[in-house]
C-alpha cells in the first residue's frame, strides 16, 4: 500500500488499511474442511495434482499461485506438521472463510502447538521463517479449490482472468513484489496484477521471510548492481529521489546505442513493498540489512513518485484520501519514466495503461462481489492530518 503527500510534491508511502471495513475481514465464506482429491474437482486453470492424502503441495501448485521459487522447505515442513497433528488428534482440519485461518477444535490445538514452537525458537530469523511459512501454508491449504490461482478471486463466482489483458514489459525494467505473508492470496491485493499482466519474469513475487524467494530476488539484484536497484518506500532517514533525479542518466537517449546494448543490458530493479503500514517498517529494515550484507552499506536507494490516486479508492478503504495501492505505484513509475526522453521510445505509457485497465477489472470484480453479498460499496471517508 502506498501513498502521496497532499501539501508537498506527491510521494508514495506505505499505509495500513484500518480494520473497520476491510475486504479481507468482511468478505468471508462459510467454514470449510480441507479439500481432498475426492471432495473437489481440480482447478481448470491450474491443473492441480493432488496426492492421496489431499494435503501435500506440489511444485506445480506452488508456482501456479504466482511464485517462481522452488517449493519452500519450511512451508512443506509446516504442511507435514499439520498432517501429523490431524492424524494424532483425529480431528479434521477446517478453515474459516478464504483466508486459510484454522478454526474449531483443530484450530485451537494447532494454535497452542504453533505458539509453543515459535517461542522455543531463540533465533529471530528462525522465528520469522516459521511465521511466514505457517501463514503461507494455511493460506495455500485453505484457498485450494476455492480461489483462482491466477487472480486470487473465488474461482466459480468471481474469476476475472478472461478480462485481464496481458502485455510485455520493456526488458529494461523488472518489478519485485516484496509481499508480506498476510497479503498472500488476499483477494483485493493489487500487487498480483503486475505478474498477471507482465508475467512472472518481469514482475516477480518475493515473499517476506521465505528464504527461497528472497535468495532469488537478491541474487538478481546483486547481479544487476546496487546502482540499478531501487525501492519505492519513504525512507525517513535519508532523502528520497524523484524519478527524474534518480534515473535521468541511466540510459542513453540514442536508440541505436540502446539497441547495441540490449544483449548485455542489466534491467533496473524496482522493489515494491506490498504490505500494510504496520508491517512495512520491518520489511524495509530487512531490505536494508540485506543491502548491507550484499554491498556493505545499509543505504537502499528510495524513489518518490508524483502520481495520483488509484481508482481502487472507490472501494478499498484507506486511512486518508491520498492513499493508493501497489499497482498504482507501478503505474505511476511507468508514467513518470515515459516522460523522460531516454525512456520515451519504449512504450511505457501503453504498458501502464494496460496495468491500469487491470486495476479497473479488479475493482469491478470486487464491487460485483460486494453487491452480490449485500455489502456496502461506499468508501467511508476518514479525517486526516495530511489534509489542510
Amino acid at each position: 500500500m502506498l501513498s502521496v503527500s497532499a501539501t508537498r510534491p506527491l510521494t508514495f508511502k506505505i499505509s495500513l488499511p484500518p480494520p473497520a471495513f476491510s475486504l479481507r475481514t468482511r468478505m468471508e465464506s462459510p467454514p470449510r474442511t480441507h479439500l481432498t482429491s475426492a471432495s473437489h474437482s481440480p482447478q481448470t486453470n491450474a491443473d492441480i495434482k493432488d496426492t492421496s492424502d489431499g494435503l501435500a503441495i506440489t511444485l506445480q501448485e506452488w508456482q501456479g499461485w504466482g511464485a517462481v521459487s522452488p517449493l519452500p522447505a519450511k512451508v512443506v515442513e509446516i504442511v507435514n506438521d499439520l498432517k501429523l497433528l490431524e492424524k494424532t488428534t483425529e480431528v479434521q482440519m477446517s478453515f474459516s472463510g478464504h483466508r486459510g485461518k484454522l478454526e474449531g477444535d483443530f484450530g485451537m490445538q494447532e494454535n497452542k502447538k504453533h505458539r509453543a514452537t515459535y517461542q522455543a525458537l531463540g533465533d529471530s530469523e528462525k522465528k520469522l521463517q516459521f511465521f511466514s511459512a505457517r501463514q503461507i501454508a494455511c493460506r495455500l491449504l485453505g484457498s485450494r479449490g476455492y480461489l483462482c490461482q491466477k487472480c486470487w478471486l473465488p474461482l466459480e463466482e468471481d474469476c476475472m482472468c478472461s478480462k485481464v489483458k496481458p502485455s510485455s514489459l520493456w526488458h529494461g525494467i523488472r518489478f519485485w513484489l516484496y509481499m508480506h505473508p498476510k497479503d498472500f492470496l488476499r483477494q483485493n491485493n493489487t500487487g498480483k496484477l503486475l505478474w498477471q499482466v507482465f508475467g512472472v519474469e518481469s514482475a516477480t513475487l518475493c515473499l517476506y521471510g521465505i528464504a527461497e524467494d528472497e535468495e532469488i530476488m537478491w541474487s538478481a539484484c546483486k547481479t544487476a548492481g546496487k546502482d540499478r536497484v531501487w525501492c519505492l518506500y519513504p525512507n525517513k532517514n535519508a532523502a528520497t529521489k524523484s524519478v527524474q533525479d534518480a534515473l535521468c542518466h541511466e540510459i542513453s537517449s540514442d536508440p541505436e546505442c540502446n539497441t547495441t546494448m540490449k544483449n548485455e543490458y542489466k534491467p533496473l530493479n524496482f522493489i515494491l513493498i506490498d504490505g500494510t503500514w504496520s508491517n512495512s517498517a520491518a520489511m524495509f529494515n530487512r531490505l536494508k540489512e540485506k543491502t548491507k550484507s550484499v554491498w556493505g552499506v545499509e543505504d537502499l536507494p528510495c524513489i518518490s513518485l508524483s502520481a495520483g490516486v488509484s481508482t481502487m479508492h472507490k472501494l478499498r478503504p484507506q486511512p486518508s484520501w491520498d492513499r493508493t495501492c501497489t499497482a498504482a505505484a507501478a503505474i505511476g513509475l511507468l508514467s513518470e519514466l515515459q516522460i523522460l526522453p531516454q525512456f520515451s521510445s519504449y512504450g511505457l505509457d501503453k504498458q501502464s495503461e494496460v496495468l491500469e485497465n487491470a486495476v479497473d477489472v479488479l475493482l469491478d470484480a470486487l464491487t460485483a462481489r460486494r453487491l452480490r453479498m449485500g455489502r456496502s460499496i461506499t468508501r467511508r471517508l476518514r479525517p486526516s492530518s495530511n489534509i489542510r
Side-chain angles (χ1 to χ4, degrees):
M1 310 281 296
L2 307 164
S3 77
V4 293
S5 171
T7 58
R8 285 175 276 187
L10 301 177
T11 58
F12 278 91
K13 300 178 182 177
I14 294 182
S15 60
L16 169 65
F21 189 61
S22 170
L23 287 176
R24 180 168 44 179
T25 57
R26 291 202 175 240
M27 293 173 57
E28 301 292 342
S29 298
R32 301 186 312 282
T33 57
H34 73 81
L35 298 172
T36 66
S37 55
S39 63
H40 75 291
S41 299
Q43 288 183 273
T44 56
N45 69 332
D47 189 27
I48 293 178
K49 293 182 179 179
D50 219 351
T51 60
S52 59
D53 59 24
L55 276 182
I57 298 170
T58 66
L59 176 63
Q60 183 179 15
E61 180 180 355
W62 167 245
Q63 294 185 343
W65 293 108
V68 299
S69 63
L71 186 58
K74 286 292 181 182
V75 173
V76 174
E77 182 181 324
I78 296 295
V79 171
N80 289 335
D81 287 345
L82 292 172
K83 290 164 57 179
L84 180 60
L85 182 62
E86 189 176 48
K87 182 178 180 180
T88 56
T89 60
E90 298 184 346
V91 178
Q92 190 174 30
M93 191 184 312
S94 63
F95 300 89
S96 63
H98 61 269
R99 297 174 56 197
K101 183 178 180 180
L102 291 164
E103 66 163 16
D105 292 339
F106 183 90
M108 289 188 292
Q109 294 188 54
E110 192 278 336
N111 184 57
K112 294 178 181 178
K113 183 177 183 295
H114 96 257
R115 287 180 181 275
T117 301
Y118 180 85
Q119 292 300 327
L121 297 172
D123 182 78
S124 60
E125 178 66 21
K126 291 181 179 179
K127 284 186 174 182
L128 172 60
Q129 291 183 7
F130 175 79
F131 165 80
S132 297
R134 179 183 173 274
Q135 291 286 334
I136 291 166
C138 289
R139 281 165 169 73
L140 288 171
L141 295 178
S143 300
R144 177 186 282 173
Y146 173 57
L147 295 184
C148 169
Q149 287 195 293
K150 303 299 181 183
C151 65
W152 297 1
L153 296 180
L155 182 63
E156 297 181 359
E157 302 170 324
D158 304 301
C159 177
M160 66 178 201
C161 292
S162 63
K163 300 178 182 178
V164 175
K165 179 182 177 182
S167 171
S168 296
L169 182 65
W170 173 54
H171 74 276
I173 290 177
R174 185 171 189 179
F175 288 114
W176 295 94
L177 282 301
Y178 193 45
M179 185 179 293
H180 194 274
K182 287 189 174 182
D183 280 84
F184 182 59
L185 304 189
R186 179 180 174 181
Q187 292 185 28
N188 65 350
N189 176 278
T190 64
K192 63 190 176 186
L193 296 175
L194 272 73
W195 66 77
Q196 262 200 289
V197 172
F198 299 132
V200 296
E201 294 301 323
S202 297
T204 307
L205 172 64
C206 176
L207 287 161
Y208 170 68
I210 298 299
E212 290 83 352
D213 280 28
E214 294 181 328
E215 181 179 350
I216 290 174
M217 182 176 76
W218 282 107
S219 177
C221 289
K222 186 176 181 179
T223 300
K226 185 175 180 292
D227 61 339
R228 307 191 80 76
V229 179
W230 297 90
C231 182
L232 274 67
Y233 186 81
N235 186 354
K236 298 179 181 179
N237 298 321
T240 57
K241 292 185 177 182
S242 67
V243 172
Q244 181 174 358
D245 291 340
L247 301 169
C248 63
H249 302 300
E250 287 294 336
I251 299 175
S252 169
S253 57
D254 182 358
E256 293 185 4
C257 177
N258 286 328
T259 300
T260 60
M261 293 173 59
K262 183 174 181 180
N263 291 333
E264 59 186 47
Y265 181 73
K266 296 178 181 178
L268 301 171
N269 292 265
F270 296 102
I271 301 174
L272 300 170
I273 297 181
D274 197 351
T276 62
W277 177 261
S278 61
N279 291 327
S280 68
M283 297 172 74
F284 183 65
N285 285 336
R286 186 169 177 83
L287 290 176
K288 290 197 300 180
E289 291 172 0
K290 191 62 178 180
T291 300
K292 186 174 182 179
S293 69
V294 172
W295 290 300
V297 293
E298 283 190 355
D299 180 26
L300 178 62
C302 295
I303 289 181
S304 62
L305 302 176
S306 57
V309 177
S310 168
T311 56
M312 282 292 290
H313 284 214
K314 298 176 183 178
L315 184 66
R316 186 170 178 174
Q318 303 289 348
S320 63
W321 69 272
D322 57 342
R323 303 293 179 179
T324 193
C325 62
T326 304
I331 293 168
L333 176 63
L334 294 175
S335 299
E336 291 193 39
L337 287 174
Q338 175 67 29
I339 298 173
L340 302 180
Q342 60 269 39
F343 290 95
S344 61
S345 62
Y346 301 117
L348 300 182
D349 55 338
K350 300 298 183 182
Q351 294 156 34
S352 67
E353 183 179 343
V354 175
L355 182 56
E356 191 166 9
N357 289 338
V359 173
D360 291 337
V361 171
L362 175 59
L363 174 64
D364 290 343
L366 294 173
T367 300
R369 178 169 177 79
R370 277 196 170 179
L371 289 173
R372 189 176 66 251
M373 298 176 69
R375 309 288 191 189
S376 171
I377 60 171
T378 303
R379 177 178 178 266
R380 189 173 70 184
L381 296 177
R382 296 178 176 85
S384 172
S385 58
N386 292 329
I387 302 177
R388 296 179 174 87

